[in-house]
Amino acid sequence: MTLKVCTSLLILFLVNSVWTRTVRQVYDELDPEHWSYYTSECPRECFCPPSFPNALYCDNKGLTEIPAIPARIWYLYLQNNLIETISEKSFVNATYLRWINLNKNKITNSGIESGVLSKLKRLLYLFLEDNELEEVPSPLPVGLEQLRLARNRISRIPEGVFSNLENLTMLDLHQNSLLDSALQSDTFQGLNNLMQLNIAKNSLKKMPSSIPANTLQLFLDNNSIEVIPENYFSAIPKVTFLRLNYNKLSDDGIPPNGFNVSSILDLQLSHNQLTKIPPINAHLEHLHLDHNRIKSVNGTQICPVSIAIAEDHGFYGNIPRLRYLRLDGNEIQPPIPLDVMICFRLLQAVVI
């Protein structure tokens, strides 16, 4: 019995040790006697934690340029500085970089040396938020998985800039200066594995064309969009989370079954100009319609299945899955009609 317990504890210890090393992502753990070597190699403006030898912390140092990056660095933190340029001399030895955070600096497109980013062959994450970019920088590393460019001055997307980024899963362009003319039919061509596209807080009046087919999350809040084209979502059949808050959508701008899409689980249409609830799909789980002009709710009209089917306790195949409904900020007076509750039997919260 004692032997079995000891064996179990040993196995648990070994599994836990392997898991811990995996989470830390430290592949070559250092002995204390080697710390001095890595400390001497560390740029004097930065901090090199001995327990995380692949990381270099140069954030919040008042830097005006990027120091020479040691070859061993995978994770580079340069946010909250005064950096204006990205030059090749800083990255001559940094051939293993996976992650660069350059948020909140003063980088312009002219300050990025030609080809310097594309030479970082192993780079997976590039953060350039809160800078002074006027267009998406190019060329970019072909292996990128995340590109974050929020809160710049971007009004132009160069032709073909994304064409080779097949691994990109997240593209964040929110709070820039993009007009409809900046998004052409081939702008997102090549982004075959994109899952999240954020173009919120720009100056769009139309739904962007040719969204990558695998997109799961599409964020278009705080634009001036008035119309949803007929069958728009048939081209993005996997879209699950759709945000169109703070636009100019009216009842006339939405096709009869514009949002009756089985893939959409979370639909946000807050702060628009709707006077009625648009038709929804039985698969929808969260619906945000607050701060519109809706005056009443009719459960028979909005129920995605017939009320008779919804009343049948034994029929679960098509029972509406709506769990959260937000209607505050409209002209609706409580209580919620009984037929709404009969239809949406899974409702857990109604805000009115």
Side-chain angles (χ1 to χ4, degrees):
M1 182 67 177
T2 304
L3 179 60
K4 289 183 178 180
V5 172
C6 290
T7 303
S8 300
L9 289 173
L10 177 60
I11 292 173
L12 181 62
F13 172 76
L14 292 174
V15 170
N16 186 61
S17 297
V18 172
W19 180 85
T20 302
R21 287 174 61 82
T22 302
V23 170
R24 287 178 60 198
Q25 294 183 339
V26 177
Y27 296 88
D28 295 311
E29 198 167 57
L30 300 177
D31 294 326
E33 64 186 39
H34 294 143
W35 290 356
S36 60
Y37 166 74
Y38 285 97
T39 302
S40 64
E41 191 190 32
C42 185
R44 60 181 179 82
E45 310 95 330
C46 307
F47 172 61
C48 299
S51 60
F52 197 9
N54 299 114
L56 180 61
Y57 291 86
C58 307
D59 50 309
N60 296 286
K61 302 294 184 182
L63 300 179
T64 57
E65 60 180 23
I66 301 173
I69 309 303
R72 62 185 169 84
I73 298 303
W74 288 22
Y75 307 99
L76 178 58
Y77 298 89
L78 289 159
Q79 65 270 27
N80 293 301
N81 282 294
L82 303 170
I83 297 169
E84 298 181 359
T85 60
I86 304 176
S87 60
E88 187 174 347
K89 66 178 183 179
S90 301
F91 300 101
V92 171
N93 297 317
T95 56
Y96 289 95
L97 277 173
R98 264 67 167 175
W99 171 303
I100 299 178
N101 189 334
L102 275 160
N103 292 345
K104 295 187 178 180
N105 279 283
K106 298 182 177 296
I107 298 167
T108 62
N109 288 94
S110 60
I112 302 176
E113 190 174 330
S114 178
V116 61
L117 296 175
S118 63
K119 291 178 180 178
L120 301 173
K121 304 295 185 183
R122 292 181 170 87
L123 195 66
L124 303 178
Y125 301 88
L126 178 58
F127 300 167
L128 281 165
E129 299 178 345
D130 295 284
N131 278 279
E132 299 176 10
L133 299 173
E134 295 183 350
E135 63 179 53
V136 175
S138 66
L140 291 163
V142 296
L144 272 186
E145 294 181 4
Q146 288 192 19
L147 178 60
R148 303 190 184 215
L149 299 169
R151 294 178 299 276
N152 276 275
R153 304 172 184 174
I154 296 173
S155 61
R156 181 174 176 271
I157 301 177
E159 184 177 355
V161 66
F162 302 127
S163 59
N164 294 320
L165 303 187
E166 293 187 2
N167 295 327
L168 199 71
T169 59
M170 177 185 179
L171 176 59
D172 191 345
L173 288 163
H174 89 268
Q175 201 166 331
N176 277 285
S177 303
L178 292 170
L179 300 171
D180 295 319
S181 58
L183 305 179
Q184 302 298 316
S185 59
D186 59 351
T187 295
F188 302 112
Q189 185 175 350
L191 298 179
N192 299 328
N193 290 296
L194 194 71
M195 291 190 287
Q196 184 186 111
L197 177 59
N198 192 341
I199 326 178
K201 294 188 177 181
N202 278 278
S203 300
L204 304 181
K205 295 183 178 180
K206 301 177 182 179
M207 295 291 284
S209 60
S210 300
I211 299 296
N214 286 318
T215 302
L216 299 176
Q217 300 177 344
L218 179 59
F219 303 149
L220 292 163
D221 315 75
N222 293 89
N223 280 285
S224 299
I225 296 170
E226 299 179 356
V227 176
I228 306 294
E230 190 83 33
N231 300 318
Y232 180 84
F233 299 105
S234 62
I236 42 176
K238 298 181 181 180
V239 64
T240 304
F241 299 91
L242 178 62
R243 291 196 336 217
L244 279 159
N245 304 319
Y246 292 95
N247 276 283
K248 296 183 179 180
L249 290 170
S250 64
D251 301 327
D252 294 336
I254 300 175
N257 283 298
F259 295 120
N260 187 1
V261 181
S262 61
S263 65
I264 299 178
L265 302 182
D266 191 299
L267 176 60
Q268 300 190 19
L269 297 168
S270 304
H271 294 270
N272 277 280
Q273 300 170 13
L274 302 176
T275 64
K276 60 184 179 181
I277 298 176
I280 60 175
N281 193 271
H283 290 90
L284 188 68
E285 296 183 1
H286 296 85
L287 178 59
H288 299 246
L289 285 165
D290 55 286
H291 298 90
N292 276 275
R293 301 174 183 175
I294 301 170
K295 295 183 179 180
S296 63
V297 182
N298 186 315
T300 303
Q301 292 178 353
I302 68 172
C303 192
V305 300
S306 72
I307 291 291
I309 290 177
E311 281 188 289
D312 185 354
H313 288 239
F315 192 92
Y316 291 105
N318 287 327
I319 189 170
R321 300 178 187 175
L322 194 67
R323 289 171 168 78
Y324 180 88
L325 175 60
R326 184 170 177 182
L327 291 167
D328 55 305
N330 284 283
E331 300 175 33
I332 303 169
Q333 297 299 321
I336 293 292
L338 180 61
D339 54 1
V340 173
M341 308 309 294
I342 292 174
C343 174
F344 301 109
R345 290 183 172 273
L346 300 180
L347 265 176
Q348 297 175 355
V350 180
V351 183
I352 189 170

